[in-house]
Amino acid sequence: MTALTLSTSGAATLRADALVVGVAKGAGSKSGDLVLAPGAEAVDKAFGGKLAAVLETLGATGAEGELTKLPAPDGLKVPVVIAAGLGPAPEKDGAYDAEALRRAAGSAARSLAGSKKAGFALPVGSVEDAEAVAEGALLGAYAFTAYQRGENKLASKASGGAKQPLAEVAVLGAKPRDKAFKAAAERAVALVEEINRARDLINTPPNDLYPESFAAVATAAGKEHGIKVQVLDEKALVKGGYGGLLGVGQGAARGPRLVKLAYTHPKAEKTLALVGKGITYDSGGISLKPAGHNETMKCDMAGAAAVFASVVTAARLGLRVNVTGWLALAENMPSGTATRPGDVLNMYSGKTVEVLNTDAEGRLVLADALTRASEEKPDAIVDVATLTGAMVLALGNRTFGIMANDDAFRTSIHEIADEVGEASWPMPLPADLRKGMDSPTADIANMGERMGGGLVAGLFLKEFVGEGIAWAHLDIAGPAFHEGAPYGYTPKGGTGSAVRTLVKLAERTAAGDLG
């Protein structure tokens, strides 16, 4: 991964391939004027105090996501200066928004693919600012190149392949010898390394990532970071009566797994359980997805990837909280052994479920994992899943929905997501929608009313959460996989959605801020 340093060099003396500074849209009486953000002073001096004027001549406006490159003048040790737009400038003496810093740093880092080193002289008036710049730059520098060999065997020479990510990010203006700044940098590195590992898993083709191989990745990470890992294979799932996981996975040649990752701290007073949907490929099963909907279904394990990354991050940061992750892993395939619409599954909880649609499979594997997680009586459970297209219709491609059996818990998660820069929205669990899942054959059906389908799925999951346990459900179907052009620090493909929210939730729990 891209290296991170807190540089002791000034903007005028740093030796690198490029130097990134911030620009913004003027506020108040300066509205419409380009404003140089703190950190750009030395660069402006090298331009004879005319940096803003030069940038305006080139069409720069300071808009978020805007990048303007220009050759560096004498007086700087870099060949290129990049002005990254931060959006509206804050009011007098105000600080720049952390998410604006993340996105600007991410856009700049992404544009510097193939470079060895870049300095980021963005506003870092606080530890939080420095961490935001570091986090955004490291996230933006990500690229998934594992399957790009870089050589055309039909040609006489290498075709070049994809550019490698920016090799080193140097954050200027921070305090390298200050313990708080150093801790923030270490946190950013640990967090982003695990987010990028989640992105890699999501982007890995399903012929290479399947339940058994995913479980092997988790086992290896557990050994590396002192996390206890338990893997239930098909025999163990049959013995334990995990009808949801087995029902979804029985049509595939490669069987399901339930993976438990347990990070414990000797002084922890709270336990947080995280449950992730891990459908490594979702064809829809017998209820086959229509043409055009299969190509990205390798991403249907993004919830499990987020849970895995969050548990490992908690371990790497040594958080004073117990965090247990449950990865409900299966392939959903059509075959002569696949579950059919009309079949009834005997779930781990003891409930029976009539399967009306085999493409509503995520809730079935999550139900078994939620019941199992509940048996350990954690203080709270959060499940994460690319669960419903209905949530995408409701909230779009960049926002995940939050449902919960406790309004205060739902509000806390929403506030945490907003703090870390992940778009989310609280959603209800209307009791009247529960009746639509009544089954004449079983205890409950896996489908209900079509309208409000994302909420129906949440109500189904709620049935499998233990009594007295605070629970929240994050439907990340929209933001988990980005099919468009990259923006900010968000790449094309797997995004690592919800990891930052879950890690911050674990930190808040460790600090006793969630009651």
Side-chain angles (χ1 to χ4, degrees):
M1 192 182 97
T2 301
L4 173 68
T5 57
L6 300 181
S7 180
T8 56
S9 299
T13 58
L14 179 76
R15 294 186 182 274
D17 296 309
L19 182 65
V20 180
V21 297
V23 292
K25 291 183 173 182
S29 61
K30 292 184 179 181
S31 181
D33 295 337
L34 192 69
V35 176
L36 300 180
E41 295 86 356
V43 178
D44 186 38
K45 182 179 180 181
F47 274 90
K50 297 180 179 180
L51 177 58
V54 172
L55 289 169
E56 286 182 334
T57 300
L58 294 173
T61 65
E64 185 180 299
E66 180 184 81
L67 295 177
T68 306
K69 292 186 179 183
L70 61 166
D74 292 339
L76 298 180
K77 303 295 185 182
V78 297
V80 176
V81 171
I82 299 177
L86 293 166
E91 297 297 329
K92 185 179 180 180
D93 299 327
Y96 281 87
D97 178 70
E99 182 63 6
L101 294 175
R102 283 190 203 96
R103 291 178 179 175
S107 294
R110 192 162 38 77
S111 74
L112 288 163
S115 300
K116 292 182 178 179
K117 180 178 180 179
F120 287 74
L122 295 171
V124 287
S126 67
V127 171
E128 291 74 20
D129 291 344
E131 184 172 357
V133 171
E135 196 176 289
L138 294 176
L139 287 170
Y142 171 83
F144 183 67
T145 59
Y147 292 82
Q148 296 172 341
R149 305 307 183 196
E151 185 175 344
N152 181 355
K153 293 182 179 179
L154 298 179
S156 59
K157 60 182 181 179
S159 61
K163 289 183 178 179
Q164 292 300 308
L166 171 63
E168 182 182 348
V169 166
V171 178
L172 280 64
K175 300 175 182 177
R177 296 179 180 84
D178 185 285
K179 288 184 179 180
F181 280 90
K182 288 198 291 186
E186 290 169 0
R187 181 188 185 277
V189 169
L191 175 64
V192 177
E193 282 185 351
E194 297 312 321
I195 289 174
N196 286 346
R197 176 154 38 184
R199 289 171 166 181
D200 284 348
L201 287 168
I202 297 165
N203 290 327
T204 299
N207 57 316
D208 283 342
L209 188 75
Y210 43 91
E212 185 178 1
S213 63
F214 196 154
V217 171
T219 300
K223 290 179 181 178
E224 181 181 358
H225 297 291
I227 300 167
K228 186 176 180 181
V229 180
Q230 179 185 11
V231 179
L232 299 186
D233 61 12
E234 288 170 276
K235 290 183 179 179
L237 293 173
V238 169
K239 184 177 180 180
Y242 293 86
L245 274 157
L246 292 165
V248 172
Q250 70 187 42
R254 296 176 289 202
R257 298 288 187 274
L258 178 62
V259 180
K260 175 187 176 182
L261 301 100
Y263 160 69
T264 57
H265 190 285
K267 296 182 179 180
E269 296 179 357
K270 298 282 186 178
T271 297
L272 180 64
L274 308 176
V275 178
K277 174 187 174 183
I279 304 299
T280 56
Y281 183 75
D282 182 18
S283 70
I286 296 296
S287 305
L288 194 66
K289 291 181 182 293
H293 289 73
N294 287 281
E295 290 78 3
T296 61
M297 282 300 102
K298 64 181 181 180
C299 81
D300 213 20
M301 39 58 67
V307 166
F308 167 57
S310 300
V311 176
V312 176
T313 303
R316 291 183 62 173
L317 297 178
L319 300 185
R320 191 170 173 170
V321 59
N322 297 328
V323 184
T324 303
W326 300 88
L327 315 182
L329 308 176
E331 283 187 330
N332 186 25
M333 298 292 287
S335 73
T337 61
T339 293
R340 298 149 293 215
D343 283 355
V344 173
L345 303 179
N346 293 293
M347 308 296 284
Y348 179 73
S349 68
K351 291 181 184 288
T352 56
V353 176
E354 182 181 12
V355 179
L356 299 180
N357 187 330
T358 64
D359 195 24
E361 85 297 331
R363 65 199 69 183
L364 298 174
V365 300
L366 286 173
D368 275 354
L370 284 168
T371 303
R372 180 65 187 86
S374 296
E375 287 181 340
E376 298 190 352
K377 299 189 182 306
D379 294 285
I381 298 176
V382 180
D383 76 71
V384 191
T386 49
L387 205 60
T388 66
M391 195 56 57
V392 184
L393 290 173
L395 298 178
N397 289 315
R398 297 189 183 185
T399 304
F400 63 75
I402 309 171
M403 286 154 264
N405 62 1
D406 181 283
D407 288 348
F409 190 43
R410 182 185 63 191
T411 298
S412 292
I413 293 177
H414 181 215
E415 291 173 348
I416 286 170
D418 185 62
E419 178 185 339
V420 301
E422 294 198 300
S424 68
W425 198 250
M427 303 293 283
L429 288 174
D432 61 286
L433 290 178
R434 170 61 182 85
K435 185 171 178 58
M437 290 185 285
D438 286 348
S439 166
T441 307
D443 295 325
I444 190 173
N446 78 327
M447 292 291 288
E449 294 182 29
R450 180 170 177 268
M451 300 302 174
L455 311 182
V456 170
L459 286 165
F460 180 91
L461 296 177
K462 183 182 177 183
E463 298 269 330
F464 297 87
V465 177
E467 289 290 331
I469 301 174
W471 158 79
H473 161 57
L474 312 186
D475 191 335
I476 62 170
F481 195 85
H482 179 57
E483 295 186 65
Y487 65 93
Y489 53 76
T490 301
K492 186 179 181 68
T495 64
S497 177
V499 176
R500 286 182 288 156
T501 298
L502 294 179
V503 171
K504 181 59 72 172
L505 173 64
E507 289 174 325
R508 290 276 187 88
T509 304
D513 292 343
L514 289 175

